[in-house]
Amino acid sequence: MQQRTLGERSVGAIGLGAMPLSVEGRPDAGAALATLHAAIDAGVTLLDTADSYHWHADETGHNERLIARALAARSPADRANVLVATKGGRGRPGDGSWTVDGRPEHLRRAAEDSLRRLGVAAIDLYQLHKPDPLVPWAESVGALRGLLDAGKVRAAGISNVDEQQILTAREILGPGLVSVQNRFSPADRGSLPQLRLAERLGLAFLPWSPLGGLARSVLDDPADGVPARTAFHRVAEARGVSPQQVGLAWLLALSPAVVPIPGARRPASIHDSAAAAGLVLDAGELAALQGPFTGPTGPVYPAYPAADAADAAPAAPAAPVYLAAPASPAASASRR
């Protein structure tokens, strides 16, 4: 699989968002483990998890324990090659809802618990799951700085953030900040400015729910429809591949900073997603995919020029300053 840069590591261009293996509708343990092994066998070396990826209130860390179990069965070389990225700062009371807790003391405790569940001396990538509106952003990010300084985590990331929050985190964490994880997909392109800022700062951009509009995810409202035919479907038919592969290949073509983390509940799903790393779209196909994404009731996201915001946006300053940027849809989403 082609490789992309994540901090000081190289990872496969397609990662795995492991959340579906532990939340509502999850497969049994055997099928979940088979999916994780299939991902690694397909060249996936970025496994994304979180302490809040669980279903019932009394099973915090379910997904982390599942990944640790899968890696324990792999060879030492496989274990060394896989980067496990986990997150702290969210919770699940067991009633289907999500909570946010960005207090530094909570994040420090959550990181210690994740270390124990993963069975590692240091977490490869520890991400602040979501800004807490009740805690100053700099205080939450400062907790990551403390974890880096203490050697508890090797690298830090942030999720569900706007441009100002990225720059603030960069100022506090310096080169310790290596990634931004926001919702981004064919149907939800609201974090394009954050993607371009991450690219200019040398950060990896990890789109979560990257198949939005092409496949249902565990985060989708049951009332949301999936469009039966889009430009992605037409390109897929012409290529003889799945629309999901085309969607992931489109994301990879947007920037070398992008490492999508599609979810999967079955080995076949992650095999299909991994194959997108080898699918190169031509200029005509990419032009067709830049157009408005049309859902069941009409356009859900407008077209943007092929050059998109990269040419129009100002370069990130050498000394970070606070930008007056509105929160993106991803930053204010109530789920994930």
Side-chain angles (χ1 to χ4, degrees):
M1 183 183 290
Q2 66 164 287
Q3 300 292 292
R4 300 240 156 153
T5 299
L6 180 52
E8 296 182 350
R9 297 277 297 270
S10 290
V11 297
I14 300 294
L16 173 68
M19 183 178 73
L21 302 177
S22 291
V23 298
E24 294 86 334
R26 67 194 184 197
D28 62 40
L33 289 168
T35 301
L36 288 168
H37 288 302
I40 297 170
D41 291 340
V44 172
T45 55
L46 170 62
L47 303 180
D48 181 79
T49 181
D51 60 0
S52 57
Y53 290 171
H54 60 91
W55 185 353
H56 306 294
D58 61 350
E59 55 178 20
T60 298
H62 181 280
N63 202 242
E64 292 174 326
R65 286 190 291 270
L66 192 66
I67 287 175
R69 182 177 169 188
L71 290 176
R74 306 294 300 201
S75 69
D78 282 345
R79 290 197 296 272
N81 200 35
V82 170
L83 188 157
V84 177
T86 192
K87 295 182 283 295
R90 300 217 71 178
R92 301 207 71 200
D95 60 1
S97 66
W98 296 76
T99 60
V100 182
D101 190 344
R103 294 172 299 150
E105 60 269 27
H106 171 79
L107 294 171
R108 288 190 291 266
R109 183 171 62 252
E112 292 283 357
D113 290 343
S114 291
L115 276 167
R116 175 178 50 80
R117 286 188 291 262
L118 292 170
V120 295
I123 296 171
D124 292 329
L125 173 58
Y126 194 69
Q127 303 160 98
L128 181 51
H129 206 152
K130 184 178 181 180
D132 185 340
L134 300 180
V135 178
W137 176 241
E139 291 185 13
S140 297
V141 176
L144 299 188
R145 174 78 266 172
L147 292 168
L148 284 165
D149 292 343
K152 302 288 186 180
V153 307
R154 295 190 175 95
I158 51 178
S159 183
N160 299 303
V161 290
D162 60 31
E163 292 163 283
Q164 179 177 349
Q165 289 163 337
I166 294 171
L167 290 172
T168 301
R170 178 57 174 251
E171 185 175 9
I172 294 169
L173 299 171
L177 178 67
V178 302
S179 65
V180 173
Q181 185 178 144
N182 274 16
R183 188 169 198 162
F184 193 89
S185 70
D188 188 343
R189 308 178 191 184
S191 283
L192 184 64
Q194 290 93 315
L195 187 166
R196 293 307 178 196
L197 177 57
E199 181 182 52
R200 295 197 301 274
L201 292 174
L203 308 176
F205 185 85
L206 315 179
W208 63 263
S209 198
L211 298 176
L214 302 177
R216 292 193 54 76
S217 85
V218 296
L219 297 170
D220 291 328
D221 189 303
D224 294 342
V226 175
R229 187 170 177 80
T230 68
F232 290 83
H233 292 79
R234 291 188 287 274
V235 170
E237 289 175 2
R239 287 294 197 107
V241 299
S242 70
Q244 290 86 350
Q245 272 193 45
V246 174
L248 293 171
W250 171 77
L251 286 167
L252 292 175
L254 285 177
S255 168
V258 170
V259 184
I261 47 172
R265 291 194 184 99
R266 301 176 298 117
S269 297
I270 190 57
H271 279 148
D272 186 72
S273 291
L279 179 63
V280 179
L281 301 172
D282 64 33
E285 291 167 329
L286 289 172
L289 300 177
Q290 299 285 14
F293 188 87
T294 303
T297 59
V300 296
Y301 210 88
Y304 57 88
D308 62 54
D311 296 330
V321 297
Y322 294 82
L323 298 181
S328 71
S332 59
S334 62
R335 291 174 288 176
R336 177 61 167 72

